[in-house]
């Protein structure tokens, strides 16, 4: 398993600036080739960090979540990473080592490490290793539901959660679910979806969930609304609610992506 991340740097002057980025009313594609040094952002209260903002709540774009790809130099981090008490977070480490402290308990996350952080949690994170640390960070404001308990924090790893095969697909499509879909405490799922070469979503999914998809490994042709778009490692896709979608995995290695979706709550009117 590999875990793609923005390449940074800057292409030289021989590169044709016409690229594969797409921004429409129904979907957006932010290719890895556009995730360069000059589009990074920084946050107050952090040391030795920079990040690529891949999605943010915006009219005509993502409505329910934000998604960052964060780099921490050795010794970098924050004692107050979250500024919104109503925000929940998921972190997936793609390289290096991350020291995560949740309510006084310390966890060491390496490549593939996954953490869920509910709202109003006291947490810190630091890169105590010698190498650059890289991680994906997905944030959503939690929607409280009457009679439903608040979810609790947990730490696990992609390598420690057994993928679940999707039905009627001959084992070519599975999903690593870090949260039980029937657990109504959770109003977002951040999973890893895997297709073996040639595997596919065999119909154009059209549903209420909004999506953010970051390609971690492999290649595919992805149906977005009416367009088939080739995607590969490091490409990010945003899909508006009800945007038709499907994919066919190409190449010789598994096609894997980190998938965000909002779930388990009434639609605001």
């Amino acid at each position: 398993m590999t875990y793609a991340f923005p390449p940074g740097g800057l292409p030289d002057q021989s590169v044709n600036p016409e690229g594969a980025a797409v921004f429409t009313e129904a979907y957006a594609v932010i290719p890895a080739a556009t995730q360069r040094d000059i589009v990074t952002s920084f946050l107050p209260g952090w040391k030795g960090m920079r990040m690529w903002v891949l999605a943010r709540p915006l009219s005509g774009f993502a409505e329910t979540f934000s998604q960052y790809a964060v780099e921490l130099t050795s010794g970098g981090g924050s004692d107050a990473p979250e500024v919104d008490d109503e925000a929940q977070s998921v972190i997936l480490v793609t390289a290096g080592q991350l020291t995560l402290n949740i309510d006084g308990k310390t966890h060491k996350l390496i490549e593939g490490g996954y953490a869920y952080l509910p709202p109003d949690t006291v947490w810190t994170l630091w890169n105590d290793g010698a190498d650059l640390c890289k991680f994906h960070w997905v944030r959503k404001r939690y929607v409280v539901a009457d009679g439903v308990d608040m979810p609790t924090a947990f730490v696990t790893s992609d390598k420690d959660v057994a993928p679940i095969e999707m039905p009627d697909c001959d084992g070519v499509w599975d999903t690593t679910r870090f949260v039980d879909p029937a657990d109504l405490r959770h109003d977002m799922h951040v999973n890893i979806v895997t297709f073996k070469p040639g595997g596919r979503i065999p119909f154009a999914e059209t549903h209420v969930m909004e999506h953010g998809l970051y390609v971690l490994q492999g290649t595919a042709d992805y149906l977005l609304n009416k367009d088939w778009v080739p995607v590969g490692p490091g490409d990010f896709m945003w899909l508006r609610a009800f945007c038709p979608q499907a994919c066919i995995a190409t190449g010789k290695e598994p096609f894997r992506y980190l998938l965000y979706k909002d779930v388990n709550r009434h639609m605001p009117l």
Side-chain angles (χ1 to χ4, degrees):
M1 293 184 288
T2 59
Y3 301 89
F5 197 79
L10 188 68
D12 63 41
Q13 291 293 296
S14 67
V15 176
N16 186 339
E18 183 179 356
V22 181
F23 191 96
T24 76
E25 293 181 354
Y27 72 88
V29 179
I30 304 176
T34 70
Q35 299 164 29
R36 299 296 185 172
D37 288 354
I38 61 173
V39 296
T40 54
S41 297
F42 307 90
L43 289 176
W46 288 69
K47 176 183 177 183
M49 75 85 72
R50 67 174 183 172
M51 68 180 184
W52 288 265
V53 179
L54 300 169
R56 54 163 290 184
L58 181 71
S59 177
F61 191 50
E63 296 180 353
T64 61
F65 74 108
S66 67
Q67 186 159 342
Y68 310 146
V70 183
E71 278 186 354
L72 290 179
T73 59
S74 179
S78 175
D79 284 329
E82 182 54 74
V83 296
D84 187 341
D85 290 340
E86 298 180 39
Q88 59 189 319
S89 294
V90 162
I91 286 172
L92 174 71
V93 176
T94 67
Q97 176 180 292
L98 186 65
T99 300
L100 178 66
N101 187 289
I102 307 172
D103 292 329
K105 185 175 181 180
T106 298
H107 306 268
K108 299 286 188 180
L109 279 68
I110 59 173
E111 183 183 76
Y114 182 105
Y116 170 75
L117 301 152
D120 203 20
T121 298
V122 177
W123 57 285
T124 68
L125 77 176
W126 291 91
N127 177 9
D128 293 330
D131 300 324
L132 197 66
C133 177
K134 304 177 182 181
F135 63 93
H136 295 288
W137 181 9
V138 180
R139 301 168 65 240
K140 179 185 180 295
R141 183 165 289 177
Y142 185 74
V143 179
V144 175
D146 289 343
V148 177
D149 292 336
M150 189 74 70
T152 55
F154 66 85
V155 175
T156 183
S157 171
D158 177 25
K159 300 176 178 65
D160 294 334
V161 178
I164 298 173
E165 287 188 7
M166 300 296 285
D168 303 320
C169 66
D170 299 322
V172 299
W173 175 13
D174 60 52
T175 302
T176 303
R177 294 191 174 106
F178 298 95
V179 169
D180 183 346
D183 187 346
L184 295 182
R185 296 177 303 165
H186 289 272
D187 69 350
M188 77 168 179
H189 293 162
V190 181
N191 299 325
I192 294 177
V193 179
T194 303
F195 291 90
K196 293 180 181 176
R200 65 186 60 199
I201 298 175
F203 69 105
E205 294 187 23
T206 308
H207 52 61
V208 68
M209 286 84 79
E210 182 178 34
H211 277 340
L213 291 84
Y214 193 93
V215 180
L216 299 171
Q217 179 180 354
T219 60
D221 292 327
Y222 218 100
L223 174 65
L224 299 166
N225 199 10
K226 298 180 179 180
D227 307 315
W228 283 96
V229 179
V231 293
D235 292 345
F236 176 78
M237 292 169 275
W238 163 77
L239 284 68
R240 191 173 190 170
F242 299 107
C243 175
Q245 61 169 296
C247 75
I248 302 173
T250 57
K252 297 182 179 180
E253 63 179 328
F255 174 61
R256 307 179 76 231
Y257 56 84
L258 186 69
L259 172 69
Y260 160 88
K261 60 181 176 181
D262 52 314
V263 296
N264 296 342
R265 292 297 186 268
H266 268 300
M267 301 302 104
L269 301 178

